[in-house]
Amino acid sequence: MTVLVTGSRGRVAATLLDLLDAAGIKARAGSKDPTDLSPPPGVETVHCDLTDPATFDTALEGVDSVFLYAEAAHAGTFADRARAAGVEHIALLSSSSVLAPDAAENPIAASHLAVERALSAAAASGAFETTHLRPGAFATNALQWAWALKDGHGPALPYPHAYGDPIHERDVAEAAFAVLTEPRLRGSSYHLTGPESLDFTEQLAIVAEVTGRPAPYTTVTPEDWKESVAAFMPEPFANALLAYWASHDGRPTPLTRTIETLTGHPARTFTTWTRDHAEAFAAPVVGNRSAGARGSPLLERSRELGGGWAQRNGAPSGARAPRA
């Protein structure tokens, strides 16, 4: 079996590549910039830009299964080319935001839903099997607080008591590994969450406890927060995030045990995630950061693949424009 892993510069994809390699499964690391990849020794790299259909055929040649990020621009074309290449299974990293009643109108959820629908239509026609992984908020959203915590100010939060379900990126990668390697798990949709529903203040308290450094925050109005991120976040996405936080202000997020079902172990806690990433919060700040970057608690712009603002970390607690 050969597995194409798209978005291989992302945290989930890079971890998945390690898991596949350790299991002796042939993997191909795809990225829009394969020269920037550092896969395990012997793992092939390939140019695969999900916004450029001209790269699809070469990336898919000889591939049996695909781990796919939710880039909507050419999802239908990707499905067509995968079918022509003889791909048997596509595991999509989607988002729990597609479960919302307004998913089709929500700018954060819409791209994920569009890719799910494109793949499902292809699967219904017999092209291949498709599996949808729908994580909630990635714990890596907390990395957005690192600079603000290092300079002593802490993040500016419009809804500090908005709850999320932070999930460790390794748990998502292990869930992907399970559905890619266990045929009985194919063809379903899986809602993935962390094991705890935590509001932002509780997450910051854990960061403080683990790092031994203060983790303060300031409360700002939604209007002030929106203004602080206007330089790098389109208004529709800012509005969607504010609406999500408002709806979860003081309301714990429902949890699932799907990670345990797929991987055989409970989902990792936010404390575990923080210990695994403690270095990100430990070093003193060097230079200046803009107020907007310091005030945004959720915009992880560099670690997960996407294809624009509609690609997210999971639930509407974290939009991102990640790396491919």
Side-chain angles (χ1 to χ4, degrees):
M1 179 173 72
T2 299
V3 180
L4 170 65
V5 178
T6 68
S8 291
R9 289 191 295 170
R11 294 176 187 271
V12 173
T15 303
L16 176 59
L17 284 170
D18 289 339
L19 294 170
L20 291 168
D21 182 65
I25 297 171
K26 185 177 179 180
R28 181 178 297 164
S31 171
K32 67 172 61 177
D33 185 8
T35 63
D36 195 34
L37 296 177
S38 299
V43 172
E44 176 190 3
T45 63
V46 66
H47 183 205
C48 182
D49 182 349
L50 296 177
T51 67
D52 181 4
T55 69
F56 294 170
D57 286 349
T58 299
L60 288 165
E61 184 177 359
V63 166
D64 302 292
S65 297
V66 178
F67 176 70
L68 182 66
Y69 277 83
E71 166 54 58
H74 300 287
T77 301
F78 188 90
D80 290 342
R81 301 320 302 159
R83 180 174 192 165
V87 169
E88 299 174 0
H89 179 220
I90 295 180
L92 173 69
L93 183 60
S94 185
S95 161
S96 65
S97 64
V98 302
L99 301 172
D102 66 342
E105 291 75 41
N106 186 303
I108 292 175
S111 67
H112 294 81
L113 186 62
V115 180
E116 283 199 9
R117 288 174 172 173
L119 295 182
S120 294
S125 70
F128 42 71
E129 291 184 279
T130 183
T131 304
H132 302 155
L133 298 174
R134 296 168 170 170
F138 276 71
T140 48
N141 283 345
L143 293 174
Q144 301 312 303
W145 300 332
W147 281 102
L149 293 173
K150 289 174 186 178
D151 69 16
H153 292 84
L157 305 176
Y159 293 99
H161 295 289
Y163 278 82
D165 52 357
I167 186 169
H168 199 302
E169 65 272 15
R170 185 169 184 87
D171 284 333
V172 179
E174 290 181 1
F177 177 83
V179 302
L180 286 165
T181 58
E182 290 285 347
R184 64 184 176 82
L185 299 176
R186 294 180 179 180
S188 297
S189 297
Y190 298 101
H191 181 190
L192 311 177
T193 74
E196 310 156 293
S197 183
L198 302 170
D199 72 22
F200 290 135
T201 68
E202 291 171 323
Q203 293 176 46
L204 283 164
I206 290 171
V207 171
E209 180 181 0
V210 170
T211 63
R213 297 168 58 93
Y217 68 93
T218 57
T219 303
V220 297
T221 67
E223 292 75 19
D224 286 344
W225 177 85
K226 186 175 172 181
E227 182 178 355
S228 77
V229 301
F232 53 86
M233 181 181 292
E235 184 176 10
F237 293 92
N239 289 337
L241 288 166
L242 288 169
Y244 178 83
W245 288 333
S247 69
H248 287 76
D249 189 23
R251 298 179 178 88
T253 309
L255 303 175
T256 73
R257 298 185 64 178
T258 311
I259 289 294
E260 184 170 4
T261 299
L262 294 176
T263 68
H265 65 75
R268 294 169 172 87
T269 65
F270 187 72
T271 298
T272 297
W273 178 89
T274 306
R275 288 173 180 155
D276 290 345
H277 298 79
E279 288 185 4
F281 300 95
V285 67
V286 177
N288 295 321
R289 302 289 288 183
S290 70
R294 187 169 63 240
S296 174
L298 56 118
L299 201 59
E300 185 175 21
R301 301 170 64 89
S302 63
R303 298 303 301 175
E304 302 296 337
L305 170 126
W309 286 99
Q311 179 70 27
R312 304 181 324 96
N313 274 342
S317 54
R320 72 187 193 279
R323 297 174 67 179

